[in-house]
Amino acid sequence: MTEEQTQALAAGRSVDIVVRLTSDASAACGGSPVGTGAAAMEPSRDDGTSYDWQESVGEPSSMTGEPSGTAWRRAVVSLDSTLPEAETLFRSAIVSLDAIPGNEIEGISPLYHVSNFDGPDAMAAVVQLHTRLDARSLIGALGTIEAAHADQIDLDLVDMEGVSSNEPNCRVPWPSAAQRAQVLAPWFDMDPDARLGGDPVSFLLAMAPDAGRVGVLSDDWILGGER
């Protein structure tokens, strides 16, 4: 992303990221060699707006500082929050996710409103990225971003190209995503040809039990400002 795009996304509260890469290697989530190891994520809240983590994704390149010897893969991440300021939180989280070495945001969905019968209404969105992290590392990174935002936002790895895992704390594709319109609707808007577990997202959305409870709030929310 360009500097101008990042500044636009960061309208509101931004999050600084410090990443320390180590060379400890272990199997990737699901046995798929997306990266060279799993991450040990230990968020450290310094001033409420920054955090550190240690991540085992291989030796950093001397030229770029990014992990070497890892393949780029497409991943889809969902965002949701019940707070009124969810839109600002989403922008901050996306900036954080894009800033991680080995990640590159390539698609952002419209912002959706979710009507809930058994709790407060929510906002939801989906992003697509290319990543060099393995699935477990990316899930750990999402948890660290959640912690940096005081767990006021939920981030979930919905799908990762070429990865299928049913391991505890590393289920890919995300099991409940196929029945959740708040994930499927923004994903379909972002990528009409998307598939989840071999099924078209368009088909899954038509069958989702909560399809009538989601609706678009904004197409250009990521730029900030009034709708």
Side-chain angles (χ1 to χ4, degrees):
M1 304 178 83
T2 66
E3 181 178 351
E4 291 77 11
Q5 288 172 320
T6 301
Q7 290 174 348
L9 290 175
R13 174 171 167 266
S14 63
V15 178
D16 299 326
I17 299 177
V18 178
V19 179
R20 296 193 299 271
L21 297 174
T22 65
S23 58
D24 298 332
S26 60
C29 170
S32 300
V34 181
T36 59
M41 302 291 182
E42 296 182 359
S44 173
R45 297 295 298 278
D46 296 325
D47 59 2
T49 59
S50 66
Y51 55 89
D52 300 340
W53 72 60
Q54 292 183 341
E55 183 176 6
S56 304
V57 292
E59 293 290 353
S61 163
S62 60
M63 295 296 293
T64 66
E66 293 187 352
S68 60
T70 54
W72 289 98
R73 297 204 181 201
R74 176 195 54 80
V76 175
V77 172
S78 68
L79 307 89
D80 72 85
S81 176
T82 59
L83 294 183
E85 61 270 26
E87 185 175 334
T88 299
L89 293 171
F90 288 177
R91 285 197 291 268
S92 178
I94 291 171
V95 170
S96 302
L97 188 59
D98 187 63
I100 298 171
N103 280 354
E104 182 178 324
I105 299 291
E106 62 174 9
I108 301 172
S109 78
L111 182 68
Y112 269 71
H113 178 268
V114 183
S115 299
N116 291 316
F117 299 137
D118 55 355
D121 288 357
M123 295 186 196
V126 165
V127 298
Q128 182 169 295
L129 65 149
H130 273 148
T131 183
R132 287 182 173 178
L133 303 183
D134 60 60
R136 191 179 296 280
S137 297
L138 183 54
I139 290 171
L142 297 178
T144 305
I145 294 172
E146 289 176 339
H149 290 79
D151 293 323
Q152 296 176 328
I153 180 175
D154 289 326
L155 304 174
D156 292 287
L157 176 58
V158 176
D159 192 33
M160 177 176 276
E161 181 183 4
V163 175
S164 178
S165 171
N166 198 34
E167 297 178 12
N169 302 318
C170 191
R171 302 187 188 279
V172 185
W174 185 26
S176 64
Q179 297 181 337
R180 302 190 69 184
Q182 70 177 68
V183 174
L184 300 169
W187 188 4
F188 175 71
D189 267 351
M190 181 182 66
D191 181 5
D193 297 321
R195 303 179 74 89
L196 177 62
D199 294 318
V201 168
S202 57
F203 170 77
L204 296 174
L205 176 59
M207 302 296 292
D210 60 338
R213 297 194 282 113
V214 300
V216 177
L217 273 178
S218 173
D219 289 325
D220 58 0
W221 66 277
I222 198 64
L223 300 177
E226 297 295 329
R227 289 192 295 274

